[in-house]
Amino acid sequence: MTAPDNNHDNTDEKKKSSWLPMATIAVVAIAAGVFAGTRGSGPISSAASDTQALEVVQNKLVSTTIFPDDFKTVPPFSLLTANNQPITESALDGQWTVLFFGFTHCPDICPNTLNEMNGVVSELANGNTTVPQVMFITVDPVRDTVEKMTEYVNYFNTDFVGVSGDLTDITQLTRKLGIVASYTADTNGSDNYSVDHTASMLLIDPQLRVRAKLTPPHKMDTLVADLKTLITHYN
Amino acid sequence: MRKLLLTILLLSGSVSASDLPIVVDPVVNATPPGATVTAGYVTFINESDKTISITDAFSPTIAKVEIHLSTVKDDVAKMEKQDSVQIPSGGTLKFEHGGYHFMLMGLTEPLKENATVDIILTTSAGDILIEMPVKKIGQAKAMHKAMEHTGSTKVVH
């Protein structure tokens, strides 16, 4: 009676163990549902005035692409955050969130972006605009443990949320959100690999709808202006 | 060991200082706890009549230093190791956020503010020792505005 279950587990284990070396040694591109492909495929019947309203807001934005109302919703996920506590999509419920995917072995783009975001949230708080929570999800959970992610984001701002988890679970989430993460081996050694990843951040509304893509270069001033425009528009 | 190494470098070069690039505003980002990598930035000015190639970088205190280029193409952030970079004659080369940077790898403890990292570059005009101050991330720009062209620099010759 237990035999079939065991076999099943073994198969799963094999699948998992062959996954990781492939991710680290070979070049594995995980890319699906990239924004360009899905954008503009909204319902044809929706009123032209909706599109016009979007265009009005879009024209005010400096470094952000706004999405139609029905563009995409954050799917259910089950990952880990500080103190190894589970975190799900409900953590986004009822508040605005800026979602950023990256990794701690990233010396340039990720830390600079988090540093800019630290400036952004204090600027928004001073300007009486709703302050979004900032969530940094690793695309490199093999090296980025939850502890590491927590320490890392807290260095920039203790309110920032660091998220790690199972590689498979993170991949499912990035795929559904159209976030790209591909692993490039360093020719000098298999322990050193880099992760190419989507540089944009996603703005998620309190109903978990993906409202906009904040595009690089991420500069405090433009982020503040665009977030103010968007959050004020929808609130 | 480190001192010995630097002494040897100080004695071994034989190029004239005027051929070497001028090094402006060197800075290394302090690291969050747990981070094993960080970036260093600097501006090079080449007043000589020859292109200067930088072909290698190393530090006596950091496991590995490489020259990398950050790019964002089709919204994907990438880092690529560069075998060499060129400072054009009469021109400048900037190592800056979102572009070229020194990639400092294999950190075993956090790099704290006010520390200094020595980076030694092999260039076609001779070796250069750059003393790079460690600053909190984002401070490089502020510093640049406050103190123009006063980076702590030493030339090995």
Side-chain angles (χ1 to χ4, degrees), chain B residues 37-55:
Chain B
V37 300
T38 191
Y41 309 102
V42 70
T43 297
F44 297 102
I45 301 170
N46 177 5
E47 291 184 333
S48 79
D49 54 7
K50 286 187 202 117
T51 298
I52 299 172
S53 301
I54 304 172
T55 51

Side-chain angles (χ1 to χ4, degrees), chain B residues 14-74:
Chain B
S14 62
V15 290
S16 82
S18 60
D19 290 339
L20 289 163
I22 298 164
V23 176
V24 182
D25 291 343
V27 65
V28 165
N29 282 340
T31 55
T36 59
V37 300
T38 191
Y41 309 102
V42 70
T43 297
F44 297 102
I45 301 170
N46 177 5
E47 291 184 333
S48 79
D49 54 7
K50 286 187 202 117
T51 298
I52 299 172
S53 301
I54 304 172
T55 51
D56 197 18
F58 101 104
S59 168
T61 54
I62 308 287
K64 190 149 83 166
V65 180
E66 291 180 349
I67 296 169
H68 281 217
L69 176 64
S70 292
T71 55
V72 178
K73 201 180 165 195
D74 299 328

Side-chain angles (χ1 to χ4, degrees), chain A residues 79-228:
Chain A
L79 297 169
L80 294 168
T81 189
N83 302 318
N84 259 323
Q85 291 300 303
I87 185 168
T88 69
E89 71 284 0
S90 67
L92 284 69
D93 202 359
Q95 61 182 322
W96 286 88
T97 302
V98 171
L99 208 52
F100 180 44
F101 291 85
F103 65 120
T104 71
H105 280 70
C106 163
D108 187 40
I109 305 232
C110 303
N112 276 291
T113 302
L114 289 170
N115 182 57
E116 295 293 309
M117 281 311 294
N118 177 47
V120 168
V121 293
S122 64
E123 191 72 14
L124 288 176
N126 290 338
N128 291 324
T129 305
T130 308
V131 178
Q133 72 169 332
V134 176
M135 196 176 280
F136 184 49
I137 303 182
T138 183
V139 287
D140 184 18
V142 175
R143 290 184 297 190
D144 290 340
T145 59
V146 183
E147 294 78 19
K148 214 169 185 184
M149 289 301 286
T150 308
E151 278 187 333
Y152 194 82
V153 297
N154 284 349
Y155 175 80
F156 297 96
N157 187 314
T158 48
D159 289 334
F160 287 2
V161 183
V163 178
S164 185
D166 199 80
L167 179 63
T168 319
D169 295 336
I170 289 176
T171 305
Q172 265 182 13
L173 179 62
T174 51
R175 276 195 183 157
K176 285 179 182 157
L177 288 173
I179 297 292
V180 176
S182 69
Y183 305 84
T184 308
D186 185 326
T187 45
N188 296 325
S190 57
D191 280 351
N192 286 325
Y193 58 94
S194 187
V195 188
D196 304 343
H197 61 95
T198 299
S200 284
M201 297 185 280
L202 299 179
L203 178 66
I204 316 294
D205 79 6
Q207 286 76 44
L208 276 66
R209 285 173 294 203
V210 182
R211 283 300 189 177
K213 178 176 77 155
L214 308 160
T215 55
H218 298 303
K219 299 273 177 226
M220 191 182 115
D221 293 352
T222 49
L223 284 166
V224 167
D226 285 358
L227 285 169
K228 263 188 190 168

Side-chain angles (χ1 to χ4, degrees), chain A residues 39 50-68 211-215 226 229-230 233-234:
Chain A
R39 218 201 147 197
D50 285 358
T51 317
Q52 276 176 354
L54 270 190
E55 273 177 18
V56 170
V57 182
Q58 179 64 66
N59 288 338
K60 292 183 194 163
L61 299 169
V62 187
S63 190
T64 300
T65 308
I66 196 168
F67 294 131
R211 283 300 189 177
K213 178 176 77 155
L214 308 160
T215 55
D226 285 358
T229 303
L230 284 161
H233 173 74
Y234 287 114

